[in-house]
Amino acid sequence: MDIHDLCRYGKRIQVGRGEIISDGIEGSDDDYMYVLDKGLAALTSTNKKGDEFIYLFFRGPRCIGFAPLVRQFLGVDPMPSIHEPAMFTILAKSDCELYRIDRKTFAMLHKEQPFRDLMMNIVFTTYMEVLYHYYTSRETSAAGRLCWLIMEQSEPDDSGSLVLDPLFTYDELSHYLGVHSITVARIMSALKKTGAITKSGRKTIIND
């Protein structure tokens, strides 16, 4: 079983840019998991000051919003009661198309070993991505992390040029990197001066 197989068990839905897909761990939407088919989403949190932090960007095909159901079916509580509730949210950063799988279907699938193996792989992969993000935020320069993110999220356009989606604004990049948007602007300016990137309208083209 792979992620594409899960689509046939879900209901196809559309979520607009800026809308909440799932409240990751302790939100109100505990009855579904999702397969992101098209679009860009992000795992985020917001502190008491209203500052947004981005931990991961998601592109399809990708299984997201599974934490509440997995936690319930495994009978584990990763958030001890002595801590304040963790407000993790998966936001649609663009218009997204997803397949929504409900609790009843999840329970049926959970009885099958191929599904459990797939979920183990998905959970482990997501854990390693979050861990790597945390590690690089401590051990790598902001410029290095920004360059890595640009390369990771860029895709070829119709002409074959490697292009960063305009959705990745300086604010979005700064929320992921944990630096001020002015820092992002300075690094991008330096990259333009060296010829590593060029701007064409809202598009960022990677040359080197």
Side-chain angles (χ1 to χ4, degrees):
M1 176 178 283
D2 61 24
I3 290 177
H4 293 93
D5 295 326
L6 290 181
C7 295
R8 61 192 177 96
Y9 295 101
K11 177 183 178 181
R12 192 172 183 86
I13 63 170
Q14 294 182 330
V15 177
R17 180 180 180 181
E19 294 182 20
I20 294 176
I21 297 173
S22 173
D23 290 332
I25 291 181
E26 294 191 352
S28 59
D29 192 5
D30 287 346
D31 291 329
Y32 301 101
M33 62 177 282
Y34 302 84
V35 178
L36 175 64
D37 186 31
K38 296 179 181 179
L40 177 71
L43 175 64
T44 73
S45 69
T46 304
N47 65 16
K48 293 180 179 179
K49 297 179 181 178
D51 301 319
E52 182 186 58
F53 300 91
I54 298 177
Y55 302 96
L56 288 178
F57 286 110
F58 302 122
R59 287 189 183 276
R62 180 78 184 238
C63 187
I64 61 176
F66 52 81
L69 287 178
V70 170
R71 182 194 64 184
Q72 293 167 32
F73 276 82
L74 293 181
V76 296
D77 184 5
M79 308 302 292
S81 57
I82 60 173
H83 293 170
E84 293 185 11
M87 301 305 294
F88 294 107
T89 300
I90 297 180
L91 284 177
K93 293 296 183 177
S94 71
D95 292 340
C96 293
E97 296 183 11
L98 310 101
Y99 289 90
R100 187 175 64 193
I101 298 172
D102 60 30
R103 184 198 302 267
K104 182 178 179 180
T105 303
F106 185 93
M108 177 194 70
L109 292 169
H110 192 260
K111 297 176 182 178
E112 304 296 329
Q113 189 62 45
F115 176 76
R116 294 199 297 270
D117 291 342
L118 175 63
M119 290 307 303
M120 176 64 73
N121 181 274
I122 291 169
V123 170
F124 179 74
T125 299
T126 303
Y127 164 76
M128 292 303 298
E129 288 176 344
V130 172
L131 187 63
Y132 182 74
H133 180 201
Y134 178 82
Y135 169 79
T136 56
S137 70
R138 297 296 188 272
E139 301 293 332
T140 308
S141 68
R145 288 185 285 133
L146 177 58
C147 289
W148 181 263
L149 179 61
I150 289 172
M151 290 301 299
E152 185 180 49
Q153 297 296 336
S154 296
E155 297 181 329
D157 64 7
D158 294 338
S159 67
S161 298
L162 199 59
V163 175
L164 180 66
D165 194 313
L167 291 168
F168 289 96
T169 63
Y170 288 178
D171 281 342
E172 293 289 355
L173 295 172
S174 68
H175 292 162
Y176 178 83
L177 297 173
V179 300
H180 199 281
S181 58
I182 294 176
T183 302
V184 173
R186 288 174 177 168
I187 298 171
M188 295 292 277
S189 178
L191 291 173
K192 282 187 282 186
K193 288 180 180 179
T194 64
I197 65 173
T198 54
K199 295 288 288 187
S200 177
R202 295 179 61 231
K203 294 197 300 186
T204 300
I205 302 171
I206 290 80
N207 301 316
D208 185 351

